[in-house]
Amino acid sequence: MRVYRATDYNDMSRKAANILSAQVILKPKCVLGLATGSTPLGIYRQLIEWYDKGDIDFSEVTTFNLDEYIGLSAEDENSYQNFMKRNFWDHVNISPDHTHIPDGKTRDAKRECASYERLITKRGGIDMQLLGLGQNGHIGFNEPGTAFDKDTHVAKLSDITIEANKRFFDREEDVPRSAITMGIRSIMQSRRILVVASGVQKSEILKRAFFGPVTPSVPASVLQLHNDVTLVGDAEALSLI
Ligand code: F6R
């Protein structure tokens, strides 16, 4: 694992955006795995800035997002599809039919999971997967206790995740209780993994994930078994490492 120490959130975002843009420049037809949440926002802002300057071209890039809430439509401002459009896709020259995210309004979630997984394989697999880290060690919505051998599946959100994500909703009751998420096996099949973390609230879990035992009770600890992981953290997040 490579670890890049950033001074603060902006520096972390720039360093991680540099790694993603190098991937796109070296392989314009690449497949990126993308994440939502607060941590990647600065990365998307930086990539948009470089796109506006003409420094990066997304016209041949394909993306697959990690996850989507069940029950929220693309129009819902809390859906991850909406998040991605607002914060990234609508601002760069990525072709809409190259962007993929599970359908949260599907009537057959099991089938949606299987076809999402098939599509990733059909597109050649993920070259670089961007990951944020949940305070309980989740990656995607793979909550503590999730088996490492799962592909894309329906996951129940843990109480701590509902609590952490309620900041985006009017009321806690509005936070969906389940989601479709790439599984740990899907994530581990990515050729390269880029983990980003910011803030002191991630410091404890970061230490457990990367320097503690590999165990399903800390899902991100599985990343210790991947042979190409890059971690970019700011000083606060890396303060215990
Ligand atoms: C987002 C995702 C989640 C987040 C994690 C960290 O698509 O799958 O695992 O990466 O919850 O979220 P933030 O960045 O908001 O701390």
Side-chain angles (χ1 to χ4, degrees):
M1 178 181 57
R2 280 173 293 270
V3 182
Y4 290 99
R5 269 178 197 273
T7 46
D8 55 18
Y9 179 76
N10 286 339
D11 188 32
M12 179 212 73
S13 303
R14 202 168 43 246
K15 283 183 163 58
N18 257 310
I19 294 168
L20 278 165
S21 66
Q23 170 69 60
V24 173
I25 291 164
L26 291 170
K27 185 179 176 189
K29 242 187 172 134
C30 67
V31 179
L32 299 179
L34 299 180
T36 59
S38 306
T39 318
L41 278 173
I43 301 175
Y44 295 141
R45 270 198 297 270
Q46 182 65 79
L47 290 174
I48 293 166
E49 199 182 307
W50 287 334
Y51 166 73
D52 286 340
K53 281 194 193 158
D55 287 343
I56 182 164
D57 173 19
F58 293 94
S59 60
E60 293 185 291
V61 170
T62 295
T63 65
F64 285 91
N65 264 76
L66 279 169
D67 41 20
E68 178 61 284
Y69 288 120
I70 287 191
L72 301 192
S73 67
E75 293 71 43
D76 191 307
E77 61 169 334
N78 280 309
S79 73
Y80 285 171
Q81 176 155 9
N82 194 294
F83 173 103
M84 288 308 300
K85 282 166 72 62
R86 254 184 299 126
N87 293 301
F88 189 43
W89 296 337
D90 283 356
H91 306 282
V92 296
N93 65 338
I94 193 160
S95 152
D97 56 325
H98 286 185
T99 62
H100 305 283
I101 188 159
D103 176 9
K105 282 300 248 185
T106 179
R107 290 212 275 178
D108 188 342
K110 249 183 135 174
R111 201 160 135 194
E112 173 67 13
C113 294
S115 71
Y116 200 67
E117 198 65 43
R118 266 198 310 275
L119 196 57
I120 296 174
T121 308
K122 203 168 152 199
R123 294 288 176 271
I126 292 171
D127 290 300
M128 181 174 281
Q129 175 66 55
L130 175 64
L131 291 180
L133 184 64
Q135 280 180 49
N136 60 358
H138 75 208
I139 46 177
F141 275 123
N142 294 284
E143 300 285 25
T146 309
F148 285 165
D149 64 354
K150 285 221 172 201
D151 291 329
T152 300
H153 65 282
V154 174
K156 266 187 71 172
L157 273 54
S158 69
D159 291 344
I160 182 170
T161 300
I162 293 169
E163 175 67 27
N165 290 8
K166 75 175 187 202
R167 65 191 194 276
F168 300 110
F169 294 80
D170 292 338
R171 298 169 312 164
E172 184 174 328
E173 306 89 89
D174 297 338
V175 186
R177 268 34 188 180
S178 56
I180 294 179
T181 182
M182 277 185 203
I184 291 190
R185 182 159 59 195
S186 340
I187 293 171
M188 288 295 279
Q189 278 171 347
S190 311
R191 285 182 268 281
R192 300 177 68 198
I193 294 183
L194 173 61
V195 185
V196 287
S198 166
V200 71
Q201 70 282 6
K202 298 289 172 72
S203 58
E204 185 63 45
I205 195 64
L206 210 57
K207 186 174 161 200
R208 285 177 64 203
F210 291 104
F211 297 96
V214 175
T215 161
S217 50
V218 182
S221 67
V222 74
L223 299 173
Q224 293 181 41
L225 305 178
H226 193 284
N227 64 7
D228 196 332
V229 174
T230 302
L231 166 64
V232 184
D234 65 11
E236 285 189 7
L238 295 177
S239 56
L240 300 180
I241 292 176

